[in-house]
Amino acid sequence: MPDRPLKIGITCYPSVGGSGILASELGEELAARGHEIHFISYEQPFRMPEGPRVFFHPVIVNSYDLFKYPDYTLPLSVKMAEVSKEHALDVLHVHYAVPHATAAVLARAMLHEEHRLRIITTLHGTDTTLLGRDPGYGPAIRHALEHSDAITTVSEFMRRETVRLLGVQRPIEVIHNFFEPHHAPHRRTEVRRELGLADGEALLIHLSNLRPLKRIDLLLETAARLKERLPFKLVILAGADFSPFRAEVERRGLGDRVLVRERVTDIEDYLQAADLGLFTSETESFCLSILELMSLGCPSAAFDVGGIPEVTVSGETGLLVPFGDTTALAAGIEALLRDPARREAMGQNARTRAREEFSAAAIVPRYEALYRRVCGC
Ligand code: GMT
């Protein structure tokens, strides 16, 4: 008898961010495989798919004068319990522990035994590496992990950090992120023309939410080192307001080199138009953006931090240098861009690695198997 489709709740942050993107793409792939997907969040996730088996349940957060800070955790847990009961969810998969895993554990406590909810928590990054160290959060995160039916992390680095920082003793399964590129609406030449790229000018690309750990200062420092050495433009797909960085762009004389696009939905347009990704984060559990570029045959240059070396292999599918060494980063980029055959070969390797290791076909069945294991179905 074929396996029955599952009813899966997904909670994530809806805004631009790797964990929300991954959760949305996972929902899309699971729905395409016949499962029923219920997103529960305060807004419809940025890349939430549309389709017959995909539902969105908004969490309404009221603000009351008596509270200095509005609370999200309690209304979220009430909505999780409500949706679990009404739709007989098999499993609730929460992405990013804070506050989603705690809300899920509370939701389960509110339900009667016949609606016993299975909870899977996927740790994505700063829920461990930043909040896990915070004495105001650490014990609550540990409690939620100990009461989840399964825990996953997006890299081996994250698994190690979770054990080290939170002392979690339970098994933690590493399921790497995946990415399936959508069709790019425009051709590479059209995008490059729209960006005003001259013949022979290279296109570097950076995608991020610009938070402090993305180290935009080092990104601009690297671009400044390349300024006199190469004709290039750096396009930044910003998931947040870029204006705080404008003064630094001007100070470094990069005004005509840096192009910013905010809240882009058709990222594939830019991914396929780029020659090289550039990332300068001080930590990353995975760096989904590097994988997104790899999927379209574009290698990246980055610092060798966190889970990044699990995604890209230096010298084969990209270029990694020690953290903070912008001199080495700029030299490596210059060498690569002056050698189109090598860059092209790296791009091909990147595409192959993305398909073999980090495609939906490689990763989604691992989540399905996990759901069935925790549900016993
Ligand atoms: O952890 C965060 O700071 C946010 C999180 C997010 O929602 O974007 O990013 C993390 O999750 C992504 C998806 O798994 C990873 O690609 C990012 O590397 C990771 N960010 C960090 O570890 C800083």
Side-chain angles (χ1 to χ4, degrees):
M1 205 170 63
D3 289 333
R4 73 164 172 87
L6 299 172
K7 295 185 175 196
I8 303 160
I10 293 183
T11 287
C12 63
Y13 283 109
S15 50
V16 185
S19 59
I21 291 170
L22 190 278
S24 304
E25 306 273 339
L26 179 59
E28 179 173 353
E29 291 293 333
L30 290 166
R33 286 162 167 76
H35 303 293
E36 188 177 295
I37 308 301
H38 295 264
F39 283 95
I40 306 167
S41 191
Y42 59 86
E43 260 169 33
Q44 189 159 316
F46 182 62
R47 287 204 212 155
M48 190 185 111
E50 312 235 312
R53 287 180 292 278
V54 181
F55 304 90
F56 172 59
H57 306 274
V59 178
I60 309 298
V61 183
N62 293 317
S63 75
Y64 292 98
D65 291 345
L66 71 164
F67 297 142
K68 185 169 174 192
Y69 306 105
D71 168 60
Y72 177 52
T73 310
L74 292 183
L76 174 62
S77 66
V78 168
K79 182 58 79 178
M80 284 170 160
E82 197 180 292
V83 174
S84 305
K85 192 171 168 179
E86 263 179 44
H87 298 274
L89 295 188
D90 293 298
V91 63
L92 179 59
H93 187 176
V94 299
H95 293 261
Y96 202 91
V98 180
H100 306 145
T102 300
V105 170
L106 183 55
R108 185 175 58 199
M110 281 186 250
L111 292 165
H112 294 297
E113 190 51 34
E114 67 267 28
H115 295 295
R116 186 173 186 276
L117 183 60
R118 270 49 178 206
I119 299 166
I120 295 177
T121 300
T122 291
L123 294 163
H124 277 272
T126 46
D127 42 3
T128 289
T129 56
L130 180 69
L131 301 177
R133 304 170 193 265
D134 183 335
Y137 281 91
I141 300 171
R142 193 177 312 115
H143 174 271
L145 295 178
E146 278 163 3
H147 290 81
S148 296
D149 292 277
I151 309 165
T152 78
T153 58
V154 299
S155 60
E156 180 57 36
F157 161 79
M158 267 296 284
R159 193 194 65 73
R160 284 197 307 271
E161 286 298 273
T162 306
V163 173
R164 186 175 76 84
L165 293 167
L166 289 160
V168 175
Q169 299 294 321
R170 305 195 37 226
I172 300 175
E173 187 168 348
V174 176
I175 304 183
H176 285 127
N177 286 331
F178 69 92
F179 182 69
E180 283 300 318
H182 292 110
H183 177 72
H186 299 93
R187 285 202 302 271
R188 176 180 163 93
T189 45
E190 286 173 338
V191 179
R192 291 174 78 97
R193 197 178 320 120
E194 181 262 319
L195 290 170
L197 247 76
D199 279 350
E201 224 177 1
L203 180 57
L204 301 180
I205 188 167
H206 172 86
L207 307 78
S208 81
N209 49 24
L210 312 178
R211 282 177 309 146
L213 57 79
K214 303 292 175 183
R215 298 300 301 264
I216 301 303
D217 56 331
L218 298 180
L219 181 81
L220 298 177
E221 186 175 301
T222 309
R225 287 190 189 285
L226 285 166
K227 198 173 56 164
E228 307 303 334
R229 290 147 68 168
L230 276 176
F232 75 92
K233 288 217 163 40
L234 168 63
V235 66
I236 298 179
L237 302 190
D241 175 19
F242 189 76
S243 56
F245 303 100
R246 282 282 174 207
E248 181 68 359
V249 169
E250 295 308 323
R251 192 183 71 77
R252 291 196 175 273
L254 291 167
D256 59 344
R257 300 296 188 107
V258 172
L259 305 163
V260 178
R261 299 287 183 271
E262 287 177 10
R263 291 191 74 87
V264 169
T265 41
D266 294 322
I267 60 161
E268 283 82 358
D269 263 357
Y270 295 95
L271 299 179
Q272 46 112 25
D275 296 304
L276 191 70
L278 177 55
F279 299 92
T280 45
S281 301
E282 61 191 33
T283 182
E284 286 289 345
S285 67
F286 186 90
C287 200
L288 194 56
S289 303
I290 291 183
L291 174 59
E292 289 173 338
L293 283 158
M294 286 169 66
S295 307
L296 285 150
C298 180
S300 288
F303 292 134
D304 189 351
V305 294
I308 289 180
E310 293 175 52
V311 182
T312 189
V313 182
S314 191
E316 272 178 42
T317 65
L319 174 75
L320 301 181
V321 305
F323 174 71
D325 192 346
T326 56
T327 306
L329 196 55
I333 292 170
E334 183 183 5
L336 201 54
L337 292 178
R338 287 193 188 287
D339 187 347
R342 185 161 162 254
R343 196 215 66 86
E344 182 63 28
M346 261 191 191
Q348 288 304 332
N349 293 343
R351 193 196 300 268
T352 304
R353 181 169 167 78
R355 196 173 48 236
E356 288 177 355
E357 305 286 333
F358 309 115
S359 61
I363 299 297
V364 176
R366 296 198 49 203
Y367 279 119
E368 286 180 290
L370 179 62
Y371 299 155
R372 294 200 185 278
R373 201 164 73 229
V374 299
C375 302
C377 60

